[in-house]
Amino acid sequence: MSDQLKTTFELNGVTTTVVSEGHVPLADTLRHLACAVRLGCRNGDCGTCTVLLENQPVKSCLVPTGRAAGLRVTTLDGLAKGDELHPVQQSFWENNGFQCGFCLAGHVLCAVALLRDNPDPSAEQVDDFLRGNLCRCTGYEQIRVSVLAATHASGPADSPPALAEGQTLTSEVSSTPTK
Amino acid sequence: MTGYVAPRSVEEVVDILTSNPSAVVCGGGTMVMPRLSSQELNADLVVDLANVLELRRIGRDEDGTLRVGAAVNYRQLIVDPNVTDVLRGMARGITGGPQIQGQGTVGGSASYGNPASDLPGVLVALGASMVTEGPTGRRVVTASDWFLDAFVTPVTGQPVLLREILIPPREGDRFGYRKLKVAESSWPIVTASARIHYSEATDKSAGSVTIAAAAPTPFTIQLGSADPTRADLQSAIETVAPSWIDDEIASGSYRAKVAAEIARRAISAARTEAENP
């Protein structure tokens, strides 16, 4: 059995193949591919590494890279269409939904997932859906405002390709950084 | 170097575990992946259960027994119509948001035996049985015998896989679950799972409450009535004399003081909640 694991998945619409060790979390693999994925706690607590796996929000520090094989992965990079922000991104921008920005990708991707399944959530439903994401700047109020303001503007979570269709990325993740 | 395999059957998983003593099973990943990242745990091989589809099923037998596959996640518990309300309520309230509801698995939580998890106490209160598969075959262990110590269960360090969890029919019993935690992102300090049974013969209700997250393993106290006072509960708990967990979230003496109140709330929920048939 080879210890080098080859995993092919669809990253923001682009077929991507990575080589890694079996214990490397998807979060590290995506960072190696220069995606807008941040790592906070590496423990499933903070939510900043959230990505969409088959349109469901997951904390990518908890996902072994091999599990992504054959699946669609959406990161923050996959939301905007060129210079045009995704409606949820635009709403966070307009409503001061972030300060330092460290938690932003996780909050935006969770909000995208929420609005896809529930286009008109109550404030309580927004709070409930975002409770897996920690923010230490905003006090959450403007995040809630941003999601509620995006309610009627949000498009589908289907993300446009970040690179040209059919283009293949290949990368190698050799080690896992530790805490 | 650490390898990775995603087998498709329970038998394959057991074979791999038997021939690779340093393999680690990854259910949802919520427990194992952080420990691998921090190198608290080192493994030659990660055995991912994601492709063992039979472990992701929920079903109900003709006699009413609920069968929950070990890799069923909390979101499935929330949406599956077969799942009882107390399990659904517990799954809705776990720490970590919708991500962890989709990622954490019941088998992972039960196998890891973290005393602070929501699931162990609920399984004990429900009278669940755990079905394991190992090199010597299948074994059934009751939930009350499953949690041996903090982070120790019959699968710990063994080439044995938890296959499914069986939950017997309720037979008219009512359940309630309550917990105490200091912040949304915190582990529970105390959980209480109450079970109340009404007897037509005596026209009286009695029951039990299982307290967890406060001691290394869940413990159950019997209730003389369905409406005990907090003082009644306090003295019943003192009779058990649990060895309270003393950690950074709460001291042992704090847990000893609040357990009775959380138990009272769980009993009250079991008695009154309309959605609890």
Side-chain angles (χ1 to χ4, degrees):
Chain A
M1 178 183 321
S2 166
D3 282 329
Q4 284 294 307
L5 166 72
K6 200 177 200 182
T7 306
T8 299
F9 56 98
E10 192 185 304
L11 175 59
N12 298 321
V14 179
T15 302
T16 305
T17 299
V18 294
V19 176
S20 70
E21 282 195 63
H23 66 288
V24 175
L26 183 60
D28 287 292
T29 299
L30 295 172
R31 285 174 62 79
H32 195 80
L33 293 165
C35 291
V37 175
R38 291 193 184 84
L39 267 163
C41 64
R42 285 189 179 278
N43 201 41
D45 295 326
C46 75
T48 190
C49 69
T50 296
V51 303
L52 303 183
L53 192 61
E54 291 292 305
N55 284 332
Q56 295 294 327
V58 296
K59 296 182 179 179
S60 61
C61 70
L62 304 177
V63 179
T65 298
R67 188 174 289 179
L71 303 180
R72 286 173 297 163
V73 178
T74 307
T75 67
L76 193 71
D77 315 88
L79 295 184
K81 292 177 182 161
D83 289 339
E84 188 192 339
L85 293 177
H86 185 282
V88 172
Q89 290 176 296
Q90 187 66 37
S91 188
F92 272 71
W93 176 253
E94 288 171 0
N95 294 286
N96 300 313
F98 61 98
Q99 287 181 32
C100 85
F102 195 79
C103 69
L104 182 60
H107 272 111
V108 166
L109 286 161
C110 267
V112 168
L114 167 67
L115 296 176
R116 187 194 57 236
D117 290 343
N118 180 2
D120 194 15
S122 64
E124 291 71 28
Q125 287 170 325
V126 171
D127 290 353
D128 185 55
F129 206 84
L130 297 183
R131 69 196 168 88
N133 297 73
L134 305 184
C135 172
R136 288 296 175 257
C137 302
T138 62
Y140 300 103
E141 181 61 31
Q142 291 311 114
I143 293 173
R144 183 194 299 133
V145 167
S146 300
V147 179
L148 290 171
T151 296
H152 299 290
S154 183
D158 293 340
S159 48
L163 297 174
E165 196 92 38
Q167 187 173 345
T168 298
L169 272 175
T170 307
S171 186
E172 190 165 323
V173 185
S174 53
S175 64
T176 316
T178 55
K179 276 186 197 177
Chain B
M1 294 294 279
T2 305
Y4 172 92
V5 281
R8 295 186 176 272
S9 74
V10 170
E11 290 67 27
E12 260 183 278
V13 173
V14 172
D15 284 348
I16 293 166
L17 293 180
T18 307
S19 54
N20 295 271
S22 117
V24 63
V25 175
C26 179
T30 61
M31 316 281 183
V32 163
M33 292 305 290
R35 297 178 69 222
L36 286 170
S37 287
S38 67
Q39 297 182 2
E40 182 190 332
L41 176 69
N42 290 294
D44 289 343
L45 186 64
V46 173
V47 185
D48 192 347
L49 301 183
N51 290 339
V52 189
L53 298 184
E54 66 172 289
L55 295 179
R56 295 163 71 177
R57 292 196 196 114
I58 298 175
R60 200 176 266 288
D61 289 350
E62 275 182 19
D63 71 354
T65 300
L66 182 68
R67 291 180 173 270
V68 182
V72 163
N73 63 37
Y74 294 98
R75 183 178 298 136
Q76 286 177 268
L77 292 184
I78 294 167
V79 301
D80 192 294
N82 284 310
V83 172
T84 46
D85 290 323
V86 66
L87 270 177
R88 185 177 301 122
M90 179 277 297
R92 277 202 191 109
I94 64 159
T95 297
Q99 299 101 312
I100 301 299
Q101 284 170 341
Q103 290 178 269
T105 65
V106 292
S109 175
S111 297
Y112 193 48
N114 183 345
S117 293
D118 290 87
L119 187 71
V122 176
L123 290 182
V124 171
L126 287 168
S129 297
M130 328 294 278
V131 182
T132 64
E133 202 73 44
T136 56
R138 194 166 295 195
R139 197 178 151 215
V140 181
V141 182
T142 64
S144 49
D145 290 333
W146 177 264
F147 299 100
L148 300 170
D149 200 351
F151 303 101
V152 184
T153 69
V155 300
T156 308
Q158 301 295 319
V160 175
L161 187 72
L162 175 59
R163 182 172 205 141
E164 63 179 346
I165 299 172
L166 308 181
I167 293 161
R170 285 170 293 188
E171 292 163 353
D173 287 8
R174 299 166 68 98
F175 292 90
Y177 179 70
R178 286 292 184 270
K179 64 178 167 181
L180 175 69
K181 60 180 187 177
V182 286
E184 177 50 49
S185 56
S186 157
W187 289 99
I189 292 169
V190 176
T191 73
S193 310
R195 175 175 195 149
I196 292 177
H197 178 72
Y198 170 75
S199 161
E200 271 186 30
T202 60
D203 190 29
K204 278 187 177 167
S205 291
S208 59
V209 60
T210 303
I211 293 171
T217 57
F219 62 91
T220 301
I221 54 175
Q222 300 301 323
L223 306 174
S225 81
D227 194 14
T229 65
R230 195 163 72 189
D232 294 339
L233 289 161
Q234 187 74 40
S235 56
I237 291 170
E238 280 163 14
T239 311
V240 177
S243 123
W244 301 104
I245 293 174
D246 198 325
D247 63 12
E248 67 278 11
I249 302 177
S251 67
S253 60
Y254 181 78
R255 285 186 162 96
K257 284 196 175 74
V258 294
E261 171 59 16
I262 306 309
R264 193 195 62 75
R265 291 178 194 177
I267 295 159
S268 173
R271 220 176 42 239
T272 58
E273 277 181 14
E275 65 163 0
N276 197 336

